[in-house]
């Protein structure tokens, strides 16, 4: 060890008043780290994200063990933990991928293997890109013509309610938009810390973002007895409670619901908007499953449309941000990280701050922007790709509707499992009765009882679900979230295995 | 106005003790916003990002005016404000785009128009994707085989210094990695707030991220007289100063430099590493311009390589995160938002937190990951695409080298402009002498004098540069940053116009 290290050691000890170096086996001094679990940002430590949490880590490990020839009571891991449609075999929409290939390698525009409408879309997107390349940065808010197409899509969807492209921001998936909006909203310390109301059960992006931003998570419970609907009285209770210790400023809704698969009624949305207006809450509507509606009598109503139908008292006042994505619906293109958000009634000064904030990260991925454009500007009747597009879209959505029904039906045949209809989105979130003994055993292990259950399910059957505790649930109730995405044959196997496991588990711990 | 609004008004007034509603022209009550400039997150307000700031907003406006036929003393805006190579006409690498097209639309694998090596790369990437689709989520840390390829690339680059793929995280551009690392590092309040040392001039992503995170920006000045090198004594001064009021934990270096275009010497990097070791600072090395080195006698040395060459006292101890991207070098693929970071000597508990943190945002865009793979696993001698690839790569880099030289030479012919050699990266950051009268006039307008200068340049010539004040500079000195990216003919026009403008400006204000 040279002079340098001796000097160094001296400095360190003086500074921190304790020895920071120790001799390792090979004679090298090893120092304490600068960045340790004790010195790191504590808000990051509070972040949890169950959808990719310990159970998924273990599933990946088990897959590795299987590949290495380790004997298990099953031959493959079936993952129903995440809404990752393509990974579960859903096929991409041909038209979308043709246009993306054309945008990536414009030489293909000279080939006659692509339909004219695909070429036209690609040309239009490329023309809007710097230097005609998807490799150029776009405007930070997103490519102009894509935002215009989004605006027209929203207008069509909402029966003509106007949409200004200047209020549309393209994003890196919906998550990016949601986190950006929360970032604008959150501030304060102690009793004036910003509170954000989120449903319980919730999608854990919300709790994770709020933890990271140091905001107060204000829980309101969905009504499981009424198919996970929102109760006005529960919103009131939650808000009144929260006002005692923080400053609630925003209310988040996921509709169709994740993890709960419900589709909120028009009446319910109206109630929520009136509540937000009365209580002065900024509304955040996560509507990424807007095309995933399966149950008869259910229909998607955008918060924006209902807001405008309530008249200018509301449509001129209530602040709303709504979110969409390329990752769900019939597209399932998660890997492209495309999305948009629309802001309504945002204070112009705040909106200028939003525009500045998004500029720091330069721009959302341009291929994802291109894909978002195709979603909102899909082949029209008369265009060469229209028939195939409609066939593919309908096939995917019908299959999802079938699997939603199948999941609900089979789960409800299991004694001790109660499953609400999967009205929309891609998930069921059944209630599971757990025997007292299993709850005690889980607690002795320091595990949530439904984590204990799901971990055992994984080890014994290879099925990967996410415990309800990762999304939040009423105390004393237990759930799991499973996606309806596996191919029908695998979904049937999965459901049969869950049924068998649940019966065995109940017996074992009774 | 119905009962609802009356009740609402009453509630609001009670709560805030002031009237929140006013009657608008059409008889509708308009309320104060929930989210206003006064209630929003104050850290966001502190964020500034000059590269896309007011001068660029104005440039976009001028372009629009030109399109609308407004008469100007010029016919086009030349943008040299941002390192956006493709927007400036740089052509993408054919091989990269072929593989990306194949990945987007795998039907093309059946066509014989693509070389076999492109097809092989595409097959390998698709095999590593869920369901064989780039539309599936990847692992949050990035696709396994891409991380392995990155690790092998780093090992080759650094003469065999080992790289563990588990320490490689794929990112959404380098910006995402940098912000993520800062997020882990930053905490504390008052005198124990985390300080992060950044060079001045700096790339404003750093100041923006630190502002947003509420960290203390600790400035160290690059030595303009010595071609923007880092001085140990300046680092020491800066650190000693900072320790009086915060807790400096990290040191950021951009090499090759942005906005300053220097390439740090091996000796300098060694000094910085020894300094970081002695002073217990976490090192962050922004090395996105690692292939952009033009000046004779200059060479890129990665911080990691030098760290390992200093021996185990350093390589076993100093914590380092380094960053790379698909956006710069000969690729210039900014729109794909691809990148990676490698962490060295990170505390395992912290690394687990890092892995958890990145999982919340699901995954970096998969097309960007694919592109990153191609960059680190480019065509090899003997493969069909190798010759074309090398030709394209060399042509792009030679052209950049030429333009770097040209920029320096012409700028240095202007009395009152002094320009360091553009040794690397994509920018020159010349010193401009501004007459006292112009400084006074700027200050009277509340503008930074170099903002005043650049705004006038834009209005009179259509040339869009970024004022030095957006990057930071020594008090009383003025600069602008210009990219060397415009095509040679336009670059010459740009430089001639700058020369003419500077002379006129100097005369006008003398």
């Amino acid at each position: 060890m040279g002079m340098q290290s001796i000097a160094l050691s001296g400095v360190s000890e003086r500074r921190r008043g304790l020895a920071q170096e120790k001799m390792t086996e090979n004679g090298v001094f090893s120092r304490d780290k600068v960045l340790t679990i004790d010195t790191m940002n504590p808000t990051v430590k509070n972040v949890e994200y169950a959808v990719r949490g310990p159970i998924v880590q273990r599933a990946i490990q088990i897959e590795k063990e299987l590949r290495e020839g380790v004997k298990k009571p099953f031959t493959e891991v079936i993952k129903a933990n995440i809404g990752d449609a393509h990974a579960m075999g859903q096929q991409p929409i041909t038209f979308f991928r043709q246009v993306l290939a054309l945008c990536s390698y414009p030489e293909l525009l000279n080939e006659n293997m692509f339909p004219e409408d695909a070429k036209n879309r690609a040309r239009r997107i490329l023309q809007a890109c710097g230097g005609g390349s998807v490799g150029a940065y776009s405007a930070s808010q997103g490519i102009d013509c894509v935002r215009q197409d989004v605006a027209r899509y929203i207008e069509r969807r909402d029966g003509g309610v106007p949409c200004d492209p200047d209020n549309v921001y393209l994003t890196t998936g919906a998550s990016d938009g949601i986190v950006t909006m929360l970032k604008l909203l959150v501030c304060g310390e102690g009793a004036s810390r910003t509170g954000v109301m989120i449903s319980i059960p919730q999608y854990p992006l919300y709790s994770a973002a709020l933890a990271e931003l140091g905001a107060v998570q204000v829980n309101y419970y969905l009504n499981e007895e009424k198919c996970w609907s929102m109760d006005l009285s529960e919103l009131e209770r939650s808000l009144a409670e929260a006002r005692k210790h923080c400053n609630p400023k925003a209310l988040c809704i996921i509709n169709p619901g994740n993890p709960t698969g419900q589709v909120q009624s028009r009446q319910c949305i109206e109630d929520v908007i009136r509540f937000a207006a009365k209580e002065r809450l900024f509304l955040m509507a996560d509507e990424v499953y807007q095309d995933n509606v399966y149950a008869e009598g259910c229909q998607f109503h955008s918060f924006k449309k209902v807001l405008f139908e309530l008249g200018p008292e509301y449509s001129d006042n209530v602040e709303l941000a709504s979110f969409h994505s390329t990752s769900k619906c019939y597209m399932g293109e998660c890997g492209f990280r495309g999305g948009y958000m629309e802001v309504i009634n945002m204070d112009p000064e705040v909106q200028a701050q939003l525009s500045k904030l998004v500029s720091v990260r330069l721009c959302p991925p341009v291929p994802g922007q291109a894909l978002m454009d195709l979603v909102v500007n899909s082949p029209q009747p008369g265009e060469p790709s229209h028939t195939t597009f409609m066939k593919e879209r309908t096939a995917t959505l019908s299959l999802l509707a079938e699997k939603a029904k199948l999941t609900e039906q089979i789960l409800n045949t299991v004694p001790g499992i109660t499953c609400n209809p999967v009205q929309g989105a891609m998930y069921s979130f059944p209630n599971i009765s757990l025997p007292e003994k299993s709850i005690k055993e889980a607690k002795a292990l320091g595990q949530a009882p439904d984590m204990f259950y799901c971990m055992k399910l994984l080890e014994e059957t290879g099925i990967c679900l996410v415990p309800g505790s990762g999304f939040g649930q009423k105390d004393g109730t237990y759930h799991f979230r499973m996606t309806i995405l596996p191919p029908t044959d695998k979904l049937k196997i999965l459901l049969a295995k869950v049924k068998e496991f649940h019966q065995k588990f109940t017996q074992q711990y009774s």
Side-chain angles (χ1 to χ4, degrees), chain A:
Chain A
M1 196 181 74
M3 285 299 290
Q4 182 98 27
S5 291
I6 294 171
L8 188 155
S9 164
V11 168
S12 306
E13 283 175 27
R14 269 202 310 282
R15 191 167 329 119
R16 301 218 350 202
L18 48 86
Q20 291 188 314
E21 306 207 352
K22 50 184 184 292
M23 186 78 81
T24 61
E25 285 163 27
N26 53 2
V28 167
F29 277 79
S30 150
R31 301 182 311 153
D32 288 354
K33 303 282 184 194
V34 176
L35 183 59
T36 68
I37 199 81
D38 298 321
T39 65
M40 71 175 282
N41 186 344
T43 66
V44 171
K45 281 189 271 187
N46 297 334
V47 168
E48 281 178 35
Y49 189 67
V51 174
R52 296 208 155 182
I55 204 138
V56 185
Q57 300 308 316
R58 179 63 190 136
I60 293 167
Q61 215 175 355
I62 289 178
E63 279 183 323
K64 209 176 144 224
E65 291 172 15
L66 283 173
R67 277 197 303 274
E68 287 163 355
V70 178
K71 280 267 178 302
K72 302 270 175 194
F74 50 86
T75 54
E76 70 165 333
V77 172
I78 305 181
K79 284 190 200 149
N81 61 295
I82 188 167
D84 190 357
H86 290 197
M88 292 289 103
Q90 185 180 308
Q91 290 306 302
I93 297 286
T94 304
F95 180 76
F96 292 175
R97 295 308 196 88
Q98 288 175 329
V99 179
L100 288 167
L102 288 160
C103 288
S104 300
Y105 189 52
E107 298 287 310
L108 293 171
L109 286 164
N110 307 320
E111 300 293 322
N112 51 22
M113 59 181 297
F114 292 100
E116 267 315 304
D117 49 352
K119 288 188 182 180
N120 287 338
R121 291 292 196 293
R123 281 193 204 101
R124 182 157 175 276
I125 292 166
L126 289 172
Q127 252 166 25
C129 290
S133 167
V134 288
Y137 290 121
S138 76
S140 300
Q141 195 171 348
I143 298 172
D144 274 8
C145 81
V146 178
R147 290 190 294 107
Q148 285 156 15
D149 289 348
V150 168
R152 281 196 293 263
Y153 161 82
I154 293 174
E155 289 178 351
R156 282 196 309 275
R157 184 196 68 187
D158 292 342
V161 174
C163 175
D164 181 346
D166 287 347
N167 293 336
V168 173
Y169 290 75
L170 300 183
T171 59
T172 307
S175 302
D176 171 46
I178 292 164
V179 172
T180 300
M181 264 316 305
L182 290 173
K183 213 180 263 176
L184 285 179
L185 280 159
V186 163
C187 59
E189 292 297 327
S192 68
R193 266 210 297 169
T194 298
V196 176
M197 298 180 72
I198 63 172
S199 63
I200 296 296
Q202 55 115 15
Y203 174 56
L205 166 70
Y206 290 90
S207 50
L210 295 176
E212 202 187 308
L213 292 167
V216 179
Q217 173 180 327
V218 177
N219 296 339
Y220 66 89
Y221 289 87
L222 298 175
N223 190 335
E224 185 165 14
E225 284 68 43
K226 291 191 187 159
C227 199
W228 301 114
S229 61
M230 290 172 82
D231 273 354
L232 205 53
S233 60
E234 169 56 14
L235 289 173
E236 281 162 356
R237 178 209 62 78
S238 160
L239 183 65
E241 193 67 35
R243 286 211 169 116
K244 293 177 192 160
H245 59 92
C246 71
N247 177 19
K249 286 208 299 209
L251 168 57
C252 303
I253 307 99
I254 313 175
N255 178 52
N258 177 4
T260 35
Q262 82 286 17
V263 178
Q264 300 294 1
S265 68
R266 199 189 170 291
Q267 181 60 50
C268 166
I269 292 169
E270 219 182 286
D271 290 347
V272 170
I273 292 173
R274 290 187 198 277
F275 173 78
K278 173 161 159 259
E279 302 294 351
R280 298 180 45 67
L281 295 168
F282 191 107
L283 277 174
M284 289 176 58
D286 180 340
E287 302 179 325
V288 300
Y289 299 99
Q290 54 191 264
D291 287 325
N292 295 109
V293 177
Y294 317 118
E296 266 183 59
C298 282
Q299 204 189 322
F300 170 72
H301 301 276
S302 80
F303 265 76
K304 186 184 177 194
K305 181 166 189 251
V306 178
L307 181 66
F308 276 73
E309 287 169 356
L310 288 180
E313 258 172 72
Y314 294 92
S315 63
D316 287 357
N317 285 309
V318 176
E319 295 151 77
L320 167 69
S322 63
F323 306 91
H324 195 16
S325 157
T326 59
S327 302
K328 310 297 168 184
C329 302
Y330 64 95
M331 302 81 81
E333 296 275 15
C334 315
F336 281 83
R337 315 306 301 122
Y340 74 73
M341 70 173 164
E342 183 193 9
V343 295
I344 313 280
N345 291 321
M346 182 175 265
D347 181 289
E349 282 181 301
V350 175
Q351 198 165 337
Q353 293 287 327
L354 168 60
S355 298
K356 181 192 69 181
L357 184 61
V358 298
S359 80
V360 178
R361 297 293 272 279
L362 297 160
C363 69
V366 175
Q369 296 188 46
L371 188 54
M372 193 76 248
D373 187 61
L374 301 172
V375 171
V376 297
N377 186 19
S378 55
Q380 295 307 302
E383 288 191 312
S385 302
H386 182 254
T387 312
T388 308
F389 169 74
M390 286 310 291
K391 219 173 77 187
E392 291 176 346
R393 182 186 193 278
T394 309
T396 297
L397 289 176
S398 311
L399 194 58
L400 285 172
E402 214 176 87
K403 293 194 279 191
K405 196 87 198 157
L406 187 75
T407 303
E408 176 204 342
Q409 280 171 345
I410 299 187
L411 285 177
N412 278 324
T413 65
V414 187
I417 296 188
T418 322
C419 181
N420 269 321
V422 183
Q423 300 174 325
M426 301 176 163
Y427 314 101
S428 76
F429 195 72
N431 190 305
I432 50 176
S433 307
L434 298 184
E436 265 316 308
K437 234 170 93 184
S438 74
I439 295 172
K440 273 194 191 134
E441 189 164 327
K443 285 182 177 164
L445 293 165
Q447 272 185 345
D450 48 14
M451 169 66 93
F452 176 77
Y453 175 94
C454 287
M455 201 58 105
K456 242 177 140 54
L457 175 73
L458 174 65
E459 295 290 347
E460 292 182 18
T461 68
I463 289 168
C464 180
L465 307 179
V466 187
S469 47
F471 305 88
Q473 54 201 351
K474 270 203 175 146
D475 277 349
T477 70
Y478 304 106
H479 302 77
F480 58 72
R481 185 187 83 163
M482 67 167 275
T483 73
I484 58 167
L485 294 173
T488 310
D489 54 338
K490 276 205 189 157
L491 184 62
K492 283 182 183 161
I493 296 173
L494 186 159
L495 290 165
K497 283 191 175 185
V498 167
K499 183 172 186 167
E500 192 193 7
F501 171 82
H502 190 81
Q503 289 165 334
K504 220 183 94 192
F505 183 90
T506 306
Q507 227 163 20
Q508 189 184 342
Y509 288 98
S510 289

